[in-house]
Amino acid sequence: MKNIQLLGLLLVVVGSFLPLVHVPIIGNWNYWKLDHYLAIACWILAACTVFGIVNNSAKVVRFFGVLLILLFAFTLVAVKMQSLEYFSFLPFKSWREAFAGVVKLKWGWIVEFLGAFLMIFAGNKKNKRTQI
C-alpha cells in the first residue's frame, strides 16, 4: 500500500510542474505560474501526506488526499472565474464567455487528480484475519 501511496504523492508533486492551463499567446502555465500560494499549499499538503505515509496512517493519507482534491477543484473554479473576470471590460456577456473560453485546461490535471485518488483509495484495503 505504501508504494501506491508514494506513487500517488509523486504524481501530485510532478503534476504541479506539468502544464495545467493554456493561455493563448502567453503559453502553458503550471501551478506556480497560476498562483504561488496555491502551489505552496499543494506542496505543503503533499509534505503532510508524506508524514502519513511514513507513519503507516491511512487515515492521515486519505484526509490529505481529500484536501488535495478539494484544492484542485477550488483551483479549477478559480481559473474559470478569473478568466471571466479578466475579460469583464467587454460590454456583452456572450463576448466575455467567448474570450474566457480560449483559456483551456491541459492534461496535467489528469495527473494531479490521479495522484490524489491513488492516495485515497490505496489505503482502503482492510486486514481480514480469520480465527480458527
Side-chain angles (χ1 to χ4, degrees):
M1 294 306 146
K2 286 174 76 170
N3 292 338
I4 297 173
Q5 291 172 337
L6 284 173
L7 176 66
L9 176 69
L10 181 69
L11 287 174
V12 167
V13 172
V14 169
S16 68
F17 295 104
L18 296 176
L20 300 175
V21 176
H22 177 75
V23 180
I25 299 173
I26 297 173
N28 294 326
W29 286 0
N30 58 16
Y31 234 132
W32 188 256
K33 288 183 181 176
L34 280 175
D35 188 57
H36 300 288
Y37 297 112
L38 290 175
I40 291 169
C42 175
W43 297 332
I44 288 173
L45 291 175
C48 293
T49 305
V50 170
F51 175 76
I53 293 171
V54 169
N55 289 326
N56 286 332
S57 178
K59 288 182 181 180
V60 171
V61 174
R62 269 186 256 139
F63 175 73
F64 285 110
V66 169
L67 286 180
L68 281 167
I69 287 175
L70 291 175
L71 177 71
F72 299 153
F74 171 75
T75 305
L76 289 173
V77 170
V79 164
K80 182 65 174 169
M81 298 301 287
Q82 187 64 30
S83 64
L84 285 172
E85 184 67 28
Y86 186 72
F87 295 106
S88 65
F89 66 90
L90 295 172
F92 301 111
K93 186 177 180 182
S94 62
W95 287 6
R96 277 183 258 157
E97 290 174 356
F99 277 100
V102 298
V103 176
K104 301 290 183 194
L105 300 178
K106 297 297 277 184
W107 57 275
W109 287 111
I110 296 170
V111 176
E112 292 277 7
F113 278 104
L114 178 66
F117 281 121
L118 277 176
M119 286 189 293
I120 291 173
F121 295 120
N124 281 345
K125 196 173 188 181
K126 305 259 183 192
N127 257 347
K128 294 183 180 179
R129 296 182 183 180
T130 56
Q131 287 183 328
I132 298 177

